[in-house]
Each structure stands twice: as C-alpha cells, then as structure tokens.
C-alpha cells in the first residue's frame, strides 16, 4: 500500500485518485501507526510552507517520513511536500523543514508575475542514473506548477539530486531524486497524461524496490 | 445531475451536455485547465455541484477551478475537499471582500480566483467605465473594474477571471481594451473570458492584451473549433504552448 500522508491540508484527494488511476493501491492515511507500515509514502502539500510544516508535525506524520528515509523506503514529495524536505523557507522564517535534503527554499525573483502558475517545460539535468522521467520523451516534459518560492539545494544545479529544472525568468529546480527519494516542485497529479506516466513510474519503482529488499 | 449550459450575453442558455463526460473529453483533447461555473448556484443545488466536482476529480487530472455561489470559507473548503484545486469567487466577495483574504489565508492565494463580470458603460459624466456586475450579470455595482481588481489583488487573489458580458457568447473577439487595462493595473495572472470565436481572437488576447490564459466555452462545447486547432495555431504563431499528449 502507498500511503498518501493526510495531515489535514488542501486537496489531497487528487493525489490519491491519480495513484489509483495508474493501478496503485493508494490510500489517504492520517494515522502514523498505519502510515509506518506502508511500502511507500507520498507527501503532498499546498498552501504555505509554515502551515504545512506545522500541520505535519502536529499530525505526528513527520516521524513516518524520517522512518522512511532511514529505511530507504520510496517517498514522493509534491510541491510544498517537496519544499518541506529542505531545512527552511524564506516564506515562513523560524519554522523548520524536515532537513532531509540540504538547502533552503527562497522567494523567487524572476522579474515575472508570481506565483508561477502554469504548465512549464522541463529540462533534464545530465543524471544517467535517474529513472523518474525515463518513460517520457523530451518534447512531452510539460508539467503543472503553482509556486512563489523555489528550492536552492546546496550547490544549486550542480547538486546531484537535481534531476530536472524549468525556466521561469531564472532556472528553477523542478525535481530531485536521490535513490528512493523523489520529489517534484510541480504537481504530477495535475499534469494530465504525463503526470500519470510519472506516477506510474513511481509505482513501478516501488514494486521493484520492494522485491529487491 | 447538473448539466453544462452556455448562453449569449449571460442569457439564452443552451444545453451542452454532461459536465463529467465533457471534462474527460476536454482533458483528452488537450485542455490545460477546466473551470466549472455554477450559474444557478442556489443553496439547494450546492450538493449537485459538489457531486459533479467529486466525480470529475476522480477521472480528470488537470487543474480544476470551481465557482458559483461560494459565500463562505466553508463553501470553499467543501469544494476543495471534493477535489477542486481552486475556487472562483464573485458576488459574495463584492458583498464582503474579506471572503478573498479569508480563503487565501486558509488555503493559499494560489487557490483563490476572483471572477469579475464586466460591462462597458458611460457614467453620468459621460466617461467610459468598465462596470462590475454581480449575480450572473443581473446587478450592476456602479464600481469600476480598476478599483475592484486592485482591491482583489491586495486581499490575496491568486488569479483573475475577467469576463466581458458585452462579448460573452458573441464570438466576435475578447474585449482587448478591458484585458489590457487589467494587465496594466495588477500583477496577477489574467484569464480572458467572453467572446472567443476565431483563432485570431485567441492570439490577439495574448499578444495584444497580454492575457495569461484563455477561456472559451461556446466554440468548444458546440464543436466549432477544437483545442488542437487553437494550440496548433498559437504554436505556429510563436507562442509557447503545451503540446497535446498522444
């Protein structure tokens, strides 16, 4: 079972439904004792960084995320769920992130309208080991973004976890991948056929990963 | 079950089909986003809308905005929980503008679309104003759109859906003057609505009036122009448009 962590914010239903649509056994889970037994986690998030990070801690589900990282269980972070994997955000000073990835979330200054609320085309970084986008051809790499803050991993685009970027007045980190840890600034569950293709890839990865364990 | 309808200048409604089936078809055809506007929006019919949103969200995986009759944060929350990504507020926000800030505070600016219905008028001094209307175009507020759009932005709107009532359903082009005006006075993404009839209209709304997104209903519902034709045309004219996945 893939647990979509339900810590009481926003529209989590679409993440669950999109996973079901690609054949996964997925469920919204709010109880940490139940989530800890899942074979993989999806950490969604919409709204502000601080509101999400506080709600996640209050739910106790942050322990489940740490447990998954430690046990190298597959985890997919989406949007603010992606941002919370870093240590902090300029959006909500004083409210720590999960510090699973090194770096911070900073306000974007693209010289363009914010939020970036649109479909945008990804550029893949040269990461031969990355599997996230393996089934999607370059011209189809369009995904839906909604954000005003962006991730700046240590070393920025040189950081090996960065597997895709997009252009929005500046180069924006669109996806990271570190073994079983996947996370996207964009919303695969709202990115039509290609979003579903990415989710199917994740579900396949989860199945393969568990066999290998 | 609710139906999809489309009118001209906000009246003369024609039936256009089942909303969930149409949503699925539009996603397949390459639509980038969908907007449901409940034009009846009486409280007795709210549950129908929520049911439609829930069913659409089960099978449609592109952004979904829902509006019509949202009067409270609770109304917004029900729709977001049913699977809407954004809610569009209109009349109730004009009656009580804190509705915008309250929804934005709870769910983020990105999910608050402020829908504004506008008609061009001469005021008593003979000056051109773009008057804001509420209640599906039935009540003039006397307020100019410049004032209201600026205020909506200050209160935390994430996006503006600007509908020209004069152009709605006429198919003679978006109101470029209105759209340009909104682009100049706000920093918000603007969805152009009302008047799309030809491919050229779509291009000029972006190139001349700086619209960030294009909404069309009649031409798609009644099969006059396909989404593919629009995307091919805009791409051929140098705009960056998401291709239709095969």
């Amino acid at each position: 079972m893939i647990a979509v962590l339900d810590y009481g914010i926003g529209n989590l239903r679409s993440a669950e439904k999109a996973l079901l649509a690609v054949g996964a056994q997925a469920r919204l889970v709010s109880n940490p004792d139940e989530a800890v037994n899942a074979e993989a986690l999806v950490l969604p998030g919409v709204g502000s960084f601080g509101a999400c990070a506080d709600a996640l801690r209050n739910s106790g589900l942050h322990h489940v995320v740490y447990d998954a990282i430690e046990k190298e269980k597959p985890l997919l972070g989406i949007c603010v769920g992606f941002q919370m994997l870093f240590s902090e955000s300029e959006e909500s000073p004083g409210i720590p992130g999960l510090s699973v990835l090194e770096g911070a979330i900073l306000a974007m200054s693209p010289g363009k309208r914010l939020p970036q609320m649109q479909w945008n085309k990804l550029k893949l970084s040269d990461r031969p080991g990355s599997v996230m986008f393996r089934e999607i051809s370059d011209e189809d790499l369009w995904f839906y973004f909604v954000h005003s803050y962006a991730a700046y991993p240590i070393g920025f685009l040189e950081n090996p976890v960065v597997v895709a970027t997009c252009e929005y007045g500046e180069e924006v980190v669109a996806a990271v991948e570190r073994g079983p840890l996947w996370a996207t600034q964009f919303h695969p569950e709202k990115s039509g056929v290609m979003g579903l293709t990415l989710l199917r890839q994740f579900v396949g990865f989860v199945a393969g990963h568990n066999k290998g364990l | 079950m609710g139906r999809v309808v489309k009118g001209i200048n906000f009246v003369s409604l024609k039936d256009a089909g089942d909303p969930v089936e149409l949503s699925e078809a539009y996603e397949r055809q390459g639509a980038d986003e969908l907007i449901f506007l409940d034009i009846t929006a009486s409280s007795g019919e709210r549950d129908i809308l929520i049911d439609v949103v829930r069913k659409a969200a089960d099978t449609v995986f592109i952004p979904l905005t829902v509006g019509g009759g949202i009067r409270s944060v609770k109304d917004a929350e029900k729709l977001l929980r049913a699977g809407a990504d954004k809610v569009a507020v209109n009349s109730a926000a004009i009656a009580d503008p804190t509705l915008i800030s309250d929804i934005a505070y709870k769910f983020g600016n990105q999910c608050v679309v402020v829908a504004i219905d506008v008609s061009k008028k001469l005021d008593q001094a003979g000056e051109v104003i773009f008057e804001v209307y509420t209640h599906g175009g039935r009540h003039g507020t006397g307020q100019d759109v410049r004032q209201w759009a600026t205020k909506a932005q200050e209160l935390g709107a994430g996006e503006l859906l600007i509908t020209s009532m004069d152009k709605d359903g006429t198919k003679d082009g978006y109101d470029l003057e209105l759209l340009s005006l909104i682009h100049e006075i706000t920093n918000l993404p603007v969805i152009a609505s009302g008047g799309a009839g030809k491919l050229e209209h779509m291009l000029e709304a972006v190139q001349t009036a700086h619209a960030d997104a294009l909404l069309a209903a009649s031409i798609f519902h009644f099969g006059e122009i396909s989404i593919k034709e629009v995307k091919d045309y805009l791409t051929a004219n140098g705009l960056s448009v998401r291709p239709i996945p095969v």
Side-chain angles (χ1 to χ4, degrees):
Chain A
M1 187 264 290
I2 297 179
V4 179
L5 300 182
D6 179 3
Y7 51 101
I9 50 105
N11 171 14
L12 304 178
R13 197 178 146 78
S14 34
E16 180 199 14
K17 292 295 166 184
L19 286 161
L20 293 173
V22 299
Q25 277 190 295
R27 202 160 70 228
L28 291 178
V29 180
S30 54
N31 179 348
D33 296 334
E34 194 184 336
V36 83
N37 294 318
E39 53 184 330
L41 304 179
V42 173
L43 176 62
V46 294
S48 82
F49 182 95
C52 284
D54 279 343
L56 184 68
R57 282 200 184 81
N58 290 336
S59 71
L61 287 166
H62 63 303
H63 291 303
V64 180
V65 173
Y66 286 132
D67 177 73
I69 300 295
E70 195 188 309
K71 294 183 178 147
E72 302 216 326
K73 207 184 253 189
L75 184 147
L76 172 63
I78 299 173
C79 196
V80 182
F82 153 87
Q83 295 188 351
M84 282 194 293
L85 297 171
F86 291 87
S87 59
E88 60 185 333
S89 171
E90 209 177 338
E91 184 177 17
S92 309
I95 301 179
L98 295 166
S99 296
V100 166
L101 294 169
E102 286 186 307
I105 308 301
L106 302 176
M108 298 163 72
S109 49
K112 285 183 150 195
R113 290 173 182 232
L114 289 174
Q116 165 172 224
M117 183 152 53
Q118 61 164 7
W119 292 81
N120 204 342
K121 188 165 191 211
L122 304 193
K123 193 178 96 189
L124 297 188
S125 313
D126 182 23
R127 305 283 185 258
S130 167
V131 293
M132 202 185 250
F133 299 102
R134 202 163 267 176
E135 300 297 320
I136 304 176
S137 60
D138 280 357
E139 64 273 16
D140 284 327
L141 286 167
W142 285 77
F143 293 91
Y144 187 72
F145 288 80
V146 183
H147 65 125
S148 299
Y149 295 80
Y152 292 83
I154 300 289
F156 197 39
L157 305 179
E158 303 305 314
N159 191 314
V161 303
V162 176
V163 294
T165 58
C166 70
E167 187 73 33
Y168 192 69
E170 56 188 305
E171 209 159 357
V172 173
V173 174
V176 298
E177 182 180 340
R178 187 182 73 194
L181 175 62
W182 297 20
T184 61
Q185 177 62 69
F186 55 84
H187 288 272
E189 79 284 14
K190 285 288 152 185
S191 296
V193 176
M194 295 310 151
L196 294 180
T197 305
L198 191 157
L199 291 175
R200 192 176 292 114
Q201 187 78 24
F202 180 69
V203 172
F205 177 82
V206 171
H209 187 78
N210 288 344
K211 262 186 213 144
L213 282 180
Chain B
M1 174 56 81
R3 301 289 293 172
V4 173
V5 295
K6 182 66 194 103
I8 298 172
N9 300 125
F10 281 41
V11 292
S12 314
L13 301 177
K14 274 201 327 194
D15 189 287
D18 172 72
V20 178
E21 281 171 23
L22 265 180
S23 300
E24 292 169 3
Y26 285 140
E27 179 179 358
R28 278 196 302 276
Q29 289 164 26
D32 292 323
E33 299 200 38
L34 294 171
I35 302 189
F36 290 174
L37 294 173
D38 183 355
I39 57 160
T40 51
S42 69
S43 51
E45 283 155 341
R46 300 304 294 165
D47 293 346
I48 298 176
L49 179 63
I50 287 169
D51 190 51
V52 167
V53 171
R54 189 171 289 125
K55 287 194 173 117
D58 284 355
T59 54
V60 173
F61 298 105
I62 55 177
L64 184 59
T65 299
V66 183
I70 295 168
R71 292 179 185 88
S72 64
V73 173
K74 191 85 202 153
D75 287 343
E77 179 165 14
K78 276 188 198 158
L79 291 167
L80 294 169
R81 288 245 151 219
D85 299 290
K86 310 177 204 176
V87 289
V89 294
N90 189 333
S91 306
I94 290 173
D96 177 12
T98 58
L99 181 61
I100 297 171
S101 42
D102 289 350
I103 299 174
Y105 177 77
K106 184 139 190 212
F107 302 105
N109 295 17
Q110 82 292 333
C111 81
V112 189
V113 178
V114 175
I116 313 181
D117 299 330
V118 185
S119 180
K120 192 173 170 177
K121 290 271 148 50
L122 291 179
D123 69 8
Q124 285 163 344
E127 301 282 325
V128 171
I129 70 156
F130 286 91
E131 188 181 1
V132 176
Y133 277 71
T134 61
H135 299 89
R138 289 190 293 275
H139 301 312
T141 62
Q143 187 172 190
D144 189 87
V145 71
R146 279 162 274 215
Q147 230 181 324
W148 177 230
T150 307
K151 183 153 188 197
Q153 171 167 311
E154 285 165 10
L155 289 168
E159 209 168 5
L160 298 175
L161 167 58
I162 303 293
T163 302
S164 163
M165 293 163 55
D166 308 328
K167 298 285 193 170
D168 176 67
T170 62
K171 300 179 197 162
D172 63 1
Y174 294 97
D175 189 331
L176 302 180
E177 189 187 358
L178 171 63
L179 295 170
S180 301
L181 195 75
I182 303 292
H183 174 80
E184 272 166 41
I185 59 164
T186 75
N187 289 314
L188 296 174
V190 173
I191 308 165
S193 162
K198 291 195 295 190
L199 295 170
E200 291 81 354
H201 297 153
M202 320 283 282
L203 183 65
E204 68 189 10
V206 177
Q207 282 190 333
T208 310
H210 311 284
D212 299 280
L214 302 170
L215 180 149
S218 307
I219 56 169
F220 296 147
H221 292 341
F222 302 116
E224 290 155 33
I225 297 179
S226 69
I227 295 170
K228 180 174 179 358
E229 285 173 288
V230 174
K231 291 197 160 189
D232 288 349
Y233 181 79
L234 296 179
T235 304
N237 281 279
L239 299 189
S240 176
V241 177
R242 179 178 75 112
I244 298 167
V246 269

